[in-house]
Amino acid sequence: MHSRRTGGGPVNGAEPGSAAAAFAPALALPKKRSLAIAGHRTSITLEDAFWRELKAAAEEQGRTVAALVAEIDAARGPAGLSAAIRVYLLGTSKARAVTSPHQE
């Protein structure tokens, strides 16, 4: 029987630590959301996995998603906003991995 997962976690039968075990297809689907940043409305399209990470990052910092996106927007230079958000989240994820104790 094949089961379809919508959340994170290993896919049935996948080797732990493999790309298949870490990949949840539903999290790869892009979603468009509108936010007000810098006094105007804008739409941002990100995969659901990035929306979840963006929300978690904002909560960890004690601010709204819109406030975090406004900061990323102000610092992004010529990069597109969606790309800048993804790169920001990759950087924060790597920084957490370096500062977190390794679990074995």
Side-chain angles (χ1 to χ4, degrees):
M1 178 167 115
H2 184 273
S3 91
R4 187 166 185 118
R5 298 181 61 110
T6 58
V11 175
N12 290 340
E15 176 87 22
S18 70
F23 181 70
L27 295 178
L29 297 174
K31 290 188 180 179
K32 183 180 257 187
R33 297 205 171 108
S34 295
L35 300 170
I37 58 170
H40 67 280
R41 298 287 295 171
T42 189
S43 293
I44 303 167
T45 302
L46 291 171
E47 295 76 13
D48 197 43
F50 286 105
W51 280 117
R52 291 179 182 197
E53 288 298 314
L54 183 61
K55 183 177 178 186
E59 286 175 1
E60 285 175 10
Q61 297 174 25
R63 55 186 168 163
T64 66
V65 169
L68 179 54
V69 169
E71 182 180 313
I72 295 167
D73 183 45
R76 70 184 166 105
L81 183 54
S82 293
I85 291 168
R86 288 184 193 96
V87 170
Y88 169 83
L89 293 171
L90 179 61
T92 60
S93 175
K94 285 186 172 194
R96 278 194 309 264
V98 169
T99 59
S100 296
H102 291 82
Q103 295 178 349
E104 296 191 31

